[in-house]
Amino acid sequence: MKVLLSAYACEPGRGTELGVGWNTAWEIAKFHEVWVLTRPDDGREAIEATLKLTPNPNLHFVYFTLPILGGFWRWGPIAYLVHYYLWQVQAYFVARRLHQKIGFDVAHHVTFVRHSTPSFLAFLPIPFIWGPVGGGESAPDPFWRDFSFKNKVYEVLRSLARGFGEADPFARLTAQRSAVVRVTTEDTAVRVRAMGATKVEVFPEASLTEEEILRLIQCGTTNPSATRFISMGRLLHWKGFHLGLRAFAKAKLADAEYWVLGNGPDRQRLETLAQELGIEQQVKFCNRLPREEALQKLGSCTALVHPSLHDSGGWVCLEAMAAGRPVICLDLGGPSLQVTSETGFKVPAQDPEQAVQGLAEAMICLAKDPDLQVRMGLAGQQRVKEFYNWETRGALISKFYQDVVENKF
């Protein structure tokens, strides 16, 4: 088949959105001939270097950016979103010219993973797949009581921006004209259906390459000598690290440690909270570390604590599972789909007090049962190998294209 991909973010050797763009293209090109629309700004140098070392005749990249002020996306978050929207408009005209020459069988929007901004490739006269797209997740209302005024304003503005995007007639037409919309969570599925999508499937965005999985397995080969929990990521209010600290204090594990890795605006607040809870001697804050060093620390811990309140992906949960470490998360968003009762603990998120109690109980359970740690770790590794590796995902998407083109979905 001849496949057209739209990947605004695309770069080899990277995680999150950049990795989604590249790995989708790379794996699909094992089965079909693929043309990728992307920007030259972020990943072109890395893409061309990779293709020089490992040529792939089925993989073609088409680079373009806005003809006027093409680099204004660097001016800030709002400029970035405006650039992304206008780039999607331009992508339609580039794609239409390509389609007249090549005759694509299917078009697929891959990145950004954002449901509230349209993809104009939906207007091509061929089957169109949107996603996975996400962003429909929200922090449950009871958890807002822990947010500062500034953070509450952020959440309100986020909700308003999302609602504005969902009302965009072009975004609604994108949903309605899609042969299938793939979404990262059921929360987004509900919102995309409300936009008019008729065929919606939950299909997580996050996966790891075989190389990443092997490297993470190596990081977790040594069993931790002490009980040590870890949280990793940007220190933002919606990441829920304050819930993890409160749970650790409630668990009263005298000989345990809690490592918090990352930078962000909530750093001072979290350090103050640790002092107020009387656990400052057990909690170690580390700035953002080089990836290899961070993964080594992850592999030396008992479990990952990831109490995020609205997370479409949850890449760090997959990394922990691949490293053979149980995951303690809230039963929300992407992590809720990744983690099972065999690989960790999904704590209901009804209100902060109940969530903290559940997180604390999970910590105590793992601290007291080393055998459970091992069983969950092995189950997590198996789950990543079976469901969350890019090689498997490429074959699934390839088959999915065939089903969409033959209208079997």
Side-chain angles (χ1 to χ4, degrees):
M1 297 174 63
K2 295 178 180 178
V3 178
L4 177 65
L5 296 185
S6 174
Y8 182 85
C10 182
E11 185 175 347
R14 298 289 297 273
T16 61
E17 303 252 15
L18 292 163
V20 170
W22 168 260
N23 287 304
T24 300
W26 183 261
E27 295 301 328
I28 295 306
K30 294 178 180 177
F31 304 91
H32 305 293
E33 194 164 7
V34 178
W35 281 258
V36 185
L37 307 181
T38 191
R39 297 179 302 142
D41 307 274
D42 286 334
R44 182 169 188 169
E45 185 176 340
I47 289 169
E48 293 181 349
T50 300
L51 291 177
K52 185 175 181 180
L53 288 173
T54 314
N56 188 333
N58 280 348
L59 191 53
H60 317 277
F61 285 86
V62 180
Y63 304 96
F64 62 91
T65 192
L66 302 183
I68 300 174
L69 295 177
F72 81 86
W73 58 272
R74 298 183 179 90
W75 297 354
I78 294 176
Y80 202 91
L81 292 177
V82 172
H83 185 279
Y84 173 63
Y85 194 106
L86 295 176
W87 189 90
Q88 298 301 325
V89 176
Q90 186 181 8
Y92 167 75
F93 294 101
V94 174
R96 189 176 66 174
R97 289 194 297 271
L98 273 176
H99 179 56
Q100 291 170 351
K101 295 178 182 178
I102 296 166
F104 295 109
D105 297 294
V106 64
H108 182 186
H109 172 93
V110 180
T111 58
F112 283 154
V113 183
R114 181 182 175 86
H115 82 288
S116 54
T117 303
S119 175
F120 293 85
L121 267 60
F123 295 92
L124 294 174
I126 53 176
F128 172 72
I129 299 164
W130 196 23
V133 289
E137 305 77 23
S138 298
D141 291 347
F143 291 85
W144 284 47
R145 72 182 70 154
D146 290 333
F147 297 165
S148 68
F149 175 77
K150 181 179 179 180
N151 292 337
K152 289 177 181 176
V153 170
Y154 168 88
E155 294 292 333
V156 169
L157 292 176
R158 176 177 180 268
S159 296
L160 290 173
R162 181 175 60 194
F164 181 80
E166 291 169 352
D168 180 345
F170 290 111
R172 299 182 73 85
L173 283 170
T174 300
Q176 294 161 14
R177 293 178 62 89
S178 298
V180 182
V181 181
R182 284 188 151 176
V183 295
T184 57
T185 64
E186 187 58 39
D187 293 316
T188 302
V190 170
R191 305 187 77 93
V192 169
R193 290 190 187 103
M195 294 168 66
T198 55
K199 294 183 179 179
V200 182
E201 179 185 64
V202 176
F203 189 81
E205 61 164 317
S207 282
L208 301 174
T209 65
E210 194 68 31
E211 180 183 356
E212 289 171 325
I213 292 171
L214 292 174
R215 188 163 70 245
L216 285 158
I217 289 173
Q218 289 298 314
C219 290
T221 52
T222 303
N223 289 329
S225 57
T227 301
R228 187 181 298 125
F229 299 98
I230 189 169
S231 290
M232 304 170 63
R234 290 198 64 203
L235 305 186
L236 304 169
H237 68 280
W238 58 268
K239 289 290 187 179
F241 293 150
H242 60 286
L243 301 172
L245 290 175
R246 287 168 57 190
F248 183 72
K250 195 175 190 67
K252 293 183 169 58
L253 298 169
D255 297 326
E257 293 181 345
Y258 190 173
W259 291 356
V260 180
L261 270 63
N263 298 324
D266 251 28
R267 172 70 176 265
Q268 184 59 55
R269 176 182 172 230
L270 293 172
E271 290 181 343
T272 301
L273 178 60
Q275 294 172 357
E276 293 172 351
L277 294 169
I279 55 174
E280 68 272 18
Q281 298 303 316
Q282 294 174 271
V283 178
K284 300 183 183 302
F285 288 90
C286 299
N287 291 327
R288 187 169 182 266
L289 300 173
R291 179 169 172 76
E292 289 301 322
E293 189 176 348
L295 294 180
Q296 289 295 332
K297 286 191 176 295
L298 173 63
S300 68
C301 288
T302 304
L304 172 77
V305 181
H306 189 71
S308 180
L309 293 167
H310 54 74
D311 204 331
S312 293
W315 293 78
V316 69
C317 296
L318 295 185
E319 292 172 339
M321 291 161 64
R325 297 296 173 255
V327 177
I328 303 172
C329 68
L330 299 182
D331 194 6
L332 296 171
S336 177
L337 296 175
Q338 297 163 358
V339 178
T340 68
S341 58
E342 288 76 31
T343 67
F345 295 84
K346 294 191 292 186
V347 176
Q350 299 162 1
D351 61 69
E353 289 72 24
Q354 167 271 322
V356 166
Q357 179 66 35
L359 293 169
E361 291 173 358
M363 291 179 181
I364 294 169
C365 187
L366 284 172
K368 291 184 175 180
D369 194 343
D371 290 338
L372 179 62
Q373 297 175 27
V374 174
R375 290 198 304 273
M376 284 186 163
L378 292 174
Q381 288 180 330
Q382 188 62 30
R383 181 161 172 78
V384 169
K385 290 177 183 177
E386 290 180 356
F387 300 107
Y388 291 101
N389 75 81
W390 276 111
E391 287 74 11
T392 298
R393 177 154 298 204
L396 290 173
I397 297 175
S398 175
K399 175 63 167 57
F400 180 65
Y401 288 162
Q402 195 69 43
D403 290 344
V404 169
V405 169
E406 295 177 3
N407 201 25
K408 293 180 180 179
F409 185 83

PDB file of all heavy atoms in Angstrom, residues 45 122 136 145 150 157 188 191 197 223 230 239 255 277 280 302 367 404:
ATOM      1  N   GLU A  45      17.888  16.690  10.551  1.00  0.00           N
ATOM      2  CA  GLU A  45      19.292  16.265  10.604  1.00  0.00           C
ATOM      3  C   GLU A  45      19.407  14.848  11.150  1.00  0.00           C
ATOM      4  O   GLU A  45      20.125  14.008  10.591  1.00  0.00           O
ATOM      5  CB  GLU A  45      20.091  17.240  11.485  1.00  0.00           C
ATOM      6  CG  GLU A  45      21.575  16.956  11.519  1.00  0.00           C
ATOM      7  CD  GLU A  45      22.346  17.992  12.312  1.00  0.00           C
ATOM      8  OE1 GLU A  45      21.813  19.118  12.509  1.00  0.00           O
ATOM      9  OE2 GLU A  45      23.476  17.695  12.738  1.00  0.00           O
ATOM     10  N   ALA A 122      -7.978  14.969   6.459  1.00  0.00           N
ATOM     11  CA  ALA A 122      -9.290  14.320   6.437  1.00  0.00           C
ATOM     12  C   ALA A 122     -10.085  14.699   5.190  1.00  0.00           C
ATOM     13  O   ALA A 122     -11.046  14.002   4.829  1.00  0.00           O
ATOM     14  CB  ALA A 122     -10.076  14.701   7.688  1.00  0.00           C
ATOM     15  N   GLY A 136      -8.230  14.590  26.289  1.00  0.00           N
ATOM     16  CA  GLY A 136      -9.557  14.713  26.875  1.00  0.00           C
ATOM     17  C   GLY A 136      -9.608  14.446  28.367  1.00  0.00           C
ATOM     18  O   GLY A 136     -10.677  14.509  28.978  1.00  0.00           O
ATOM     19  N   ARG A 145      -8.844  20.976  45.123  1.00  0.00           N
ATOM     20  CA  ARG A 145      -8.662  21.663  46.415  1.00  0.00           C
ATOM     21  C   ARG A 145      -7.191  21.778  46.798  1.00  0.00           C
ATOM     22  O   ARG A 145      -6.823  22.639  47.597  1.00  0.00           O
ATOM     23  CB  ARG A 145      -9.436  20.936  47.516  1.00  0.00           C
ATOM     24  CG  ARG A 145      -8.834  19.602  47.947  1.00  0.00           C
ATOM     25  CD  ARG A 145      -9.635  18.873  49.002  1.00  0.00           C
ATOM     26  NE  ARG A 145     -10.884  18.367  48.458  1.00  0.00           N
ATOM     27  CZ  ARG A 145     -11.520  17.308  48.968  1.00  0.00           C
ATOM     28  NH1 ARG A 145     -11.039  16.689  50.029  1.00  0.00           N
ATOM     29  NH2 ARG A 145     -12.634  16.883  48.414  1.00  0.00           N
ATOM     30  N   LYS A 150      -3.007  29.861  41.065  1.00  0.00           N
ATOM     31  CA  LYS A 150      -2.388  29.878  39.738  1.00  0.00           C
ATOM     32  C   LYS A 150      -2.645  28.562  39.004  1.00  0.00           C
ATOM     33  O   LYS A 150      -2.938  28.550  37.805  1.00  0.00           O
ATOM     34  CB  LYS A 150      -0.884  30.129  39.870  1.00  0.00           C
ATOM     35  CG  LYS A 150      -0.139  30.183  38.549  1.00  0.00           C
ATOM     36  CD  LYS A 150       1.347  30.453  38.767  1.00  0.00           C
ATOM     37  CE  LYS A 150       2.096  30.487  37.447  1.00  0.00           C
ATOM     38  NZ  LYS A 150       3.552  30.746  37.651  1.00  0.00           N
ATOM     39  N   LEU A 157      -8.104  27.458  32.147  1.00  0.00           N
ATOM     40  CA  LEU A 157      -7.710  27.864  30.801  1.00  0.00           C
ATOM     41  C   LEU A 157      -7.517  26.652  29.896  1.00  0.00           C
ATOM     42  O   LEU A 157      -7.877  26.689  28.713  1.00  0.00           O
ATOM     43  CB  LEU A 157      -6.433  28.696  30.854  1.00  0.00           C
ATOM     44  CG  LEU A 157      -6.562  30.078  31.518  1.00  0.00           C
ATOM     45  CD1 LEU A 157      -5.197  30.761  31.593  1.00  0.00           C
ATOM     46  CD2 LEU A 157      -7.555  30.949  30.752  1.00  0.00           C
ATOM     47  N   THR A 188     -10.936  10.704  26.285  1.00  0.00           N
ATOM     48  CA  THR A 188     -10.892  11.365  24.979  1.00  0.00           C
ATOM     49  C   THR A 188     -11.918  10.774  24.031  1.00  0.00           C
ATOM     50  O   THR A 188     -12.507  11.491  23.208  1.00  0.00           O
ATOM     51  CB  THR A 188      -9.478  11.274  24.381  1.00  0.00           C
ATOM     52  OG1 THR A 188      -8.540  11.864  25.286  1.00  0.00           O
ATOM     53  CG2 THR A 188      -9.384  12.001  23.054  1.00  0.00           C
ATOM     54  N   ARG A 191     -15.209  12.536  24.340  1.00  0.00           N
ATOM     55  CA  ARG A 191     -15.218  13.886  23.771  1.00  0.00           C
ATOM     56  C   ARG A 191     -15.190  13.838  22.249  1.00  0.00           C
ATOM     57  O   ARG A 191     -15.822  14.668  21.583  1.00  0.00           O
ATOM     58  CB  ARG A 191     -14.041  14.686  24.333  1.00  0.00           C
ATOM     59  CG  ARG A 191     -13.997  14.731  25.868  1.00  0.00           C
ATOM     60  CD  ARG A 191     -12.919  15.660  26.380  1.00  0.00           C
ATOM     61  NE  ARG A 191     -13.341  17.037  26.261  1.00  0.00           N
ATOM     62  CZ  ARG A 191     -13.954  17.732  27.209  1.00  0.00           C
ATOM     63  NH1 ARG A 191     -14.245  17.163  28.373  1.00  0.00           N
ATOM     64  NH2 ARG A 191     -14.287  18.991  27.011  1.00  0.00           N
ATOM     65  N   ALA A 197     -17.571  11.877  15.789  1.00  0.00           N
ATOM     66  CA  ALA A 197     -16.914  10.667  15.290  1.00  0.00           C
ATOM     67  C   ALA A 197     -17.825   9.462  15.491  1.00  0.00           C
ATOM     68  O   ALA A 197     -18.462   9.317  16.538  1.00  0.00           O
ATOM     69  CB  ALA A 197     -15.587  10.452  16.015  1.00  0.00           C
ATOM     70  N   ASN A 223      18.307  -6.615  42.066  1.00  0.00           N
ATOM     71  CA  ASN A 223      17.205  -6.350  42.983  1.00  0.00           C
ATOM     72  C   ASN A 223      17.609  -5.278  43.989  1.00  0.00           C
ATOM     73  O   ASN A 223      18.731  -5.297  44.517  1.00  0.00           O
ATOM     74  CB  ASN A 223      16.809  -7.627  43.733  1.00  0.00           C
ATOM     75  CG  ASN A 223      16.123  -8.630  42.828  1.00  0.00           C
ATOM     76  OD1 ASN A 223      15.445  -8.239  41.884  1.00  0.00           O
ATOM     77  ND2 ASN A 223      16.308  -9.911  43.100  1.00  0.00           N
ATOM     78  N   ILE A 230      10.287   5.791  43.759  1.00  0.00           N
ATOM     79  CA  ILE A 230      10.769   6.864  42.895  1.00  0.00           C
ATOM     80  C   ILE A 230       9.622   7.448  42.090  1.00  0.00           C
ATOM     81  O   ILE A 230       8.708   6.732  41.671  1.00  0.00           O
ATOM     82  CB  ILE A 230      11.877   6.332  41.947  1.00  0.00           C
ATOM     83  CG1 ILE A 230      12.547   7.479  41.179  1.00  0.00           C
ATOM     84  CG2 ILE A 230      11.328   5.282  40.982  1.00  0.00           C
ATOM     85  CD1 ILE A 230      13.816   7.052  40.432  1.00  0.00           C
ATOM     86  N   LYS A 239       0.846  16.464  37.999  1.00  0.00           N
ATOM     87  CA  LYS A 239       1.554  15.191  38.073  1.00  0.00           C
ATOM     88  C   LYS A 239       1.269  14.448  39.382  1.00  0.00           C
ATOM     89  O   LYS A 239       1.570  13.256  39.499  1.00  0.00           O
ATOM     90  CB  LYS A 239       3.059  15.415  37.913  1.00  0.00           C
ATOM     91  CG  LYS A 239       3.490  15.809  36.503  1.00  0.00           C
ATOM     92  CD  LYS A 239       3.351  14.660  35.527  1.00  0.00           C
ATOM     93  CE  LYS A 239       3.949  14.991  34.165  1.00  0.00           C
ATOM     94  NZ  LYS A 239       3.821  13.857  33.217  1.00  0.00           N
ATOM     95  N   ASP A 255      12.559   2.767  57.310  1.00  0.00           N
ATOM     96  CA  ASP A 255      13.845   2.545  56.638  1.00  0.00           C
ATOM     97  C   ASP A 255      13.783   2.783  55.130  1.00  0.00           C
ATOM     98  O   ASP A 255      14.742   2.485  54.419  1.00  0.00           O
ATOM     99  CB  ASP A 255      14.320   1.112  56.909  1.00  0.00           C
ATOM    100  CG  ASP A 255      14.571   0.863  58.385  1.00  0.00           C
ATOM    101  OD1 ASP A 255      15.015   1.807  59.070  1.00  0.00           O
ATOM    102  OD2 ASP A 255      14.309  -0.265  58.850  1.00  0.00           O
ATOM    103  N   LEU A 277       5.593  17.315  56.477  1.00  0.00           N
ATOM    104  CA  LEU A 277       5.191  15.942  56.781  1.00  0.00           C
ATOM    105  C   LEU A 277       6.215  15.217  57.647  1.00  0.00           C
ATOM    106  O   LEU A 277       5.961  14.089  58.093  1.00  0.00           O
ATOM    107  CB  LEU A 277       4.987  15.160  55.477  1.00  0.00           C
ATOM    108  CG  LEU A 277       3.825  15.617  54.582  1.00  0.00           C
ATOM    109  CD1 LEU A 277       3.916  14.931  53.215  1.00  0.00           C
ATOM    110  CD2 LEU A 277       2.490  15.297  55.241  1.00  0.00           C
ATOM    111  N   GLU A 280      11.523  14.801  55.454  1.00  0.00           N
ATOM    112  CA  GLU A 280      12.566  15.411  54.622  1.00  0.00           C
ATOM    113  C   GLU A 280      13.867  14.617  54.633  1.00  0.00           C
ATOM    114  O   GLU A 280      14.656  14.682  53.681  1.00  0.00           O
ATOM    115  CB  GLU A 280      12.824  16.857  55.040  1.00  0.00           C
ATOM    116  CG  GLU A 280      13.464  17.033  56.411  1.00  0.00           C
ATOM    117  CD  GLU A 280      12.439  17.104  57.520  1.00  0.00           C
ATOM    118  OE1 GLU A 280      11.281  16.694  57.299  1.00  0.00           O
ATOM    119  OE2 GLU A 280      12.812  17.570  58.631  1.00  0.00           O
ATOM    120  N   THR A 302      12.463   0.151  44.265  1.00  0.00           N
ATOM    121  CA  THR A 302      11.465  -0.887  44.502  1.00  0.00           C
ATOM    122  C   THR A 302      10.296  -0.755  43.538  1.00  0.00           C
ATOM    123  O   THR A 302       9.805  -1.739  42.990  1.00  0.00           O
ATOM    124  CB  THR A 302      10.948  -0.809  45.952  1.00  0.00           C
ATOM    125  OG1 THR A 302      12.057  -0.912  46.850  1.00  0.00           O
ATOM    126  CG2 THR A 302       9.925  -1.891  46.236  1.00  0.00           C
ATOM    127  N   ALA A 367       6.593  -3.008  50.119  1.00  0.00           N
ATOM    128  CA  ALA A 367       7.722  -2.982  51.043  1.00  0.00           C
ATOM    129  C   ALA A 367       7.815  -4.262  51.862  1.00  0.00           C
ATOM    130  O   ALA A 367       8.911  -4.731  52.197  1.00  0.00           O
ATOM    131  CB  ALA A 367       7.606  -1.777  51.972  1.00  0.00           C
ATOM    132  N   VAL A 404      -9.096  -0.942   7.220  1.00  0.00           N
ATOM    133  CA  VAL A 404      -9.765   0.324   6.943  1.00  0.00           C
ATOM    134  C   VAL A 404     -10.005   0.492   5.453  1.00  0.00           C
ATOM    135  O   VAL A 404     -11.112   0.871   5.023  1.00  0.00           O
ATOM    136  CB  VAL A 404      -8.930   1.503   7.504  1.00  0.00           C
ATOM    137  CG1 VAL A 404      -9.468   2.844   6.984  1.00  0.00           C
ATOM    138  CG2 VAL A 404      -8.946   1.494   9.018  1.00  0.00           C
TER     139      VAL A 404
END
